[in-house]
Structures are given as C-alpha cells and as structure tokens.
Amino acid sequence: MAKGLFDCSGKVTVVTGGNGGIGFGFAMGIAKMGGDVAIWARNAEKSARAKAELEAAGAGKVIAYQVDVSVEENIVNGFETVMEDFGRVDCVFANSGTSPRYNSVFDMPTEHWYEFQKTALHGAFFTLREGARHMKARAEAGERGGSLVACGSLSLFQGLAGKMEYAASKCAVAATIRCLAIELAPLAIRANIVAPGLIITPMMGEGEQARQVEAYFAPTIPMQRTGFPSDFEGIGAYLCSDASSFMTGETITIDGGYMVRP
C-alpha cells in the first residue's frame, strides 16, 4: 500500500478519456500512489491495455467502462455503476474531448459547433455535476471532502484563430469549476482546472508527425521541450490526495513555462 504525502489509497477516481493521453497520465499518478481508478472511454481494447498498466503500477483496483460522455444519461448511469462497484467517488477528472478541426471561423459549420460541445462542454459539465452529487451525499452523511478536476488548455488565456469551439468549451468549463469551488467549499469539496501546454499525445499524431511537432515547438518553450502524459502523474496524485485539501478554484498551468515567457 502506498504511503506518504500524496497517498491515494482508499480513494476512487473517475477519469473520462482515461485510457490514453493526459487522462491516462493523470490516472497513472493516482495508481502509483495506490488509488483506485475507474476509466471511462469508448475504445474497449485501448482501455484494457490501460487497465493492465495501471494495475501493474500499483493501483488498488481498476475497472474500465465503455462510457460515451456526449450523452447525459450515460454519465448518470456510469456514476451509478461506479458506486455499485466501488462504493464511493473521491475524485473526478473531466478530461474527455476532441481536437479542433478548422482554421477559420468562416470555415466552421454550424453543426460542428453544436456537435463539438456535446462532449467538450456538456459532457464535462454533467460529469462534474454528477460526481459532485455523490460527493455531496457522502458529505451530508458525515464524510466531507472530494476533488473535482477539469482539463483546460492555454486557450483559457490566448486566442487561437479558427479554434473557437475548442477555446469556448475550455473557458466555459473553467468558469464552471470556479462556481463549483465556491458552492461546494462548505462541504470540503474542492474544484480545480489543469491547463496543459503543448502535450504530445496520440490525438496530435504519432511517429514522425509527432516528432516534427515536438521539434518545431520545443524551442518556443522555456524548458526547451514539449510535455508528455507522464508530466500529469504528479498533479493527478496531488489533486486526488489530501495534500491538496486547501486548494480550490485554481487554474494550474502545466506548460514548461510557456505562459510566463518574457
């Protein structure tokens, strides 16, 4: 059993999009500190591989579920199943999303705007809301606490030409997190948002394509490298554990210093 400042043993974390990329990195940090993980994703084969890796890293218990968070009912039912299987929810990482496709506001079809928000905005909101509902019930029964986390981006601070659907969803979720932080603080439930910089994930391409992206952007980052999913292990363990019990309403940038460049 893991011990120490970031001990996550006995805590159950739901990670949407937890079978790869940033979500998997976040989950891996929790697994290494002995926590239990519920993976929500659509690709069962990929989730099975992630489950095996998390278990090998030291997770107490891992279950992978096929959950499409673009539908509210799936989220409600998903949490009910997690409660049946684990008995509690201590941490939620609303991470599921997709990449923007267009380079100009004039190219973006109306239907794409609405379809994109089903997962990126509405899915995140319903995931956070339903997770908070179970934490609130536990708090009212006498056990306060919990951690809600959303995945943002540097588009919270910078304009991205043609990426309005993506940036708008991230900014809306960040505002949601701040509202949750205030409303739920009396129950010792905290809410924070993680804002990644350039992170090399399969969503950005693999092999030579990924290497080209990394080589192009690394010189613009003060730490002279891009990020990787493993860079989210520490923040995952911290936000799940009681070490972060007095931290709420914050936006945590993990960007190698990109936002504070001179």
Side-chain angles (χ1 to χ4, degrees):
M1 182 180 293
K3 295 294 182 182
L5 184 61
F6 292 176
D7 183 16
C8 296
S9 56
K11 295 188 182 297
V12 178
T13 300
V14 174
V15 183
T16 69
N19 62 2
I22 292 171
F24 179 73
F26 192 97
M28 180 58 76
I30 294 166
K32 288 182 177 180
M33 297 310 297
D36 299 338
V37 180
I39 297 171
W40 285 10
R42 291 181 291 185
N43 187 317
E45 183 178 348
K46 187 177 176 182
S47 292
R49 291 195 298 268
K51 177 180 184 295
E53 290 186 49
L54 294 171
E55 289 173 336
K61 179 180 180 180
V62 182
I63 300 179
Y65 305 87
Q66 281 188 287
V67 180
D68 179 355
V69 299
S70 68
V71 178
E72 179 184 3
E73 183 180 9
N74 295 345
I75 295 168
V76 174
N77 293 339
F79 272 108
E80 289 179 355
T81 304
V82 168
M83 291 298 293
E84 292 171 1
D85 292 338
F86 289 91
R88 59 188 296 123
V89 175
D90 297 278
C91 180
V92 173
F93 185 33
N95 167 72
S96 289
T98 186
S99 297
R101 288 190 220 163
Y102 301 94
N103 295 317
S104 170
V105 64
F106 304 112
D107 296 333
M108 188 183 301
T110 299
E111 59 270 21
H112 169 76
W113 171 273
Y114 287 113
E115 188 66 27
F116 190 94
Q117 306 309 333
K118 287 181 181 179
T119 297
L121 174 53
H122 307 318
F125 170 72
F126 295 133
T127 297
L128 294 165
R129 185 193 68 185
E130 294 306 307
R133 195 186 301 280
H134 290 284
M135 293 176 188
K136 179 176 181 288
R138 191 176 74 242
E140 291 174 342
E143 186 182 351
R144 290 157 31 104
S147 179
L148 300 168
V149 187
C151 187
S153 84
L154 298 190
S155 65
L156 298 178
F157 317 105
Q158 299 178 326
L160 298 174
K163 315 301 181 188
M164 291 78 182
E165 84 281 50
Y166 177 81
S169 70
K170 296 299 186 183
C171 290
V173 172
T176 297
I177 283 287
R178 289 189 287 271
C179 293
L180 288 169
I182 297 302
E183 181 174 350
L184 302 177
L187 300 175
I189 298 169
R190 55 208 188 272
N192 296 284
I193 188 160
V194 175
L198 181 62
I199 311 300
I200 301 299
T201 69
M203 189 179 290
M204 300 184 63
E206 298 182 282
E208 183 59 29
Q209 181 181 357
R211 286 190 289 272
Q212 289 177 358
V213 170
E214 185 176 3
Y216 181 82
F217 285 102
T220 70
I221 300 169
M223 295 196 78
Q224 297 293 293
R225 72 171 179 88
T226 57
F228 298 92
S230 59
D231 290 310
F232 292 82
E233 293 180 10
I235 199 65
Y238 171 67
L239 291 176
C240 174
S241 75
D242 292 336
S244 60
S245 63
F246 198 56
M247 182 177 191
T248 196
E250 289 297 319
T251 299
I252 307 160
T253 56
I254 301 180
D255 64 355
Y258 187 86
M259 283 303 299
V260 294
R261 294 172 301 165

